[in-house]
Amino acid sequence: MAGPPRFRLHRSLTEPNEARVPGCLITAAFDTDGPERQRHLVDGLIAVQPEDGGHPGAISAHFMLSADGSRVLLYTEWTTPEAHQEAAEAGDHDKAHAIMSDTPGVRLTHGGRYRLHRSLAMPQR
């Protein structure tokens, strides 16, 4: 029986001095038809992100690729679930959603919105 695929961080969108604590985590998982489709999806999603950082509630986005080329995992951090909902209702995600649904060889498998009640941090040295 094969275990879950191994993932590696491919790209992140973060601000260098970001200090806000996430209150909401959004995930999206995709099946992909190989490494080229993985990179094409991530490059397309990054290309449509606003240069000014976008919605003030957005903290970061992280794109992980499975080593076997079969999956992409995206997770984004937001200040609150309400900030994410506000961005969605304003149409801030429309271009990204079009890429997610219209890219050949890419299929959304699941996603979710999670309210964070606690988080862990590495001790400062």
Side-chain angles (χ1 to χ4, degrees):
M1 176 184 214
R6 296 180 75 120
F7 284 88
R8 69 184 178 340
L9 180 63
H10 177 64
R11 300 231 359 228
S12 289
L13 298 175
T14 60
E15 293 295 322
N17 297 315
E18 179 61 64
R20 293 176 292 169
V21 175
C24 178
L25 177 69
I26 306 298
T27 63
F30 304 87
D31 282 342
T32 56
D33 293 343
E36 187 275 332
R37 293 286 88 190
Q38 286 178 313
R39 289 186 300 277
H40 183 79
L41 173 64
V42 172
D43 291 346
L45 291 172
I46 289 173
V48 298
Q49 297 307 306
E51 290 184 23
D52 65 358
H55 189 278
I59 296 175
S60 65
H62 307 278
F63 303 85
M64 292 174 284
L65 308 181
S66 67
D68 66 1
S70 68
R71 294 194 176 93
V72 171
L73 176 61
L74 163 62
Y75 76 89
T76 60
E77 296 172 314
W78 290 78
T79 54
T80 64
E82 295 78 18
H84 178 259
Q85 185 65 35
E86 180 183 288
E89 290 172 358
D92 293 359
H93 301 138
D94 292 352
K95 290 179 184 176
H97 284 225
I99 291 169
M100 292 175 191
S101 61
D102 297 343
T103 301
V106 173
R107 294 160 302 283
L108 177 67
T109 58
H110 62 276
R113 180 187 306 172
Y114 306 93
R115 180 180 297 272
L116 300 176
H117 296 283
R118 291 186 179 94
S119 64
L120 302 174
M122 291 184 60
Q124 299 296 317
R125 293 183 186 211

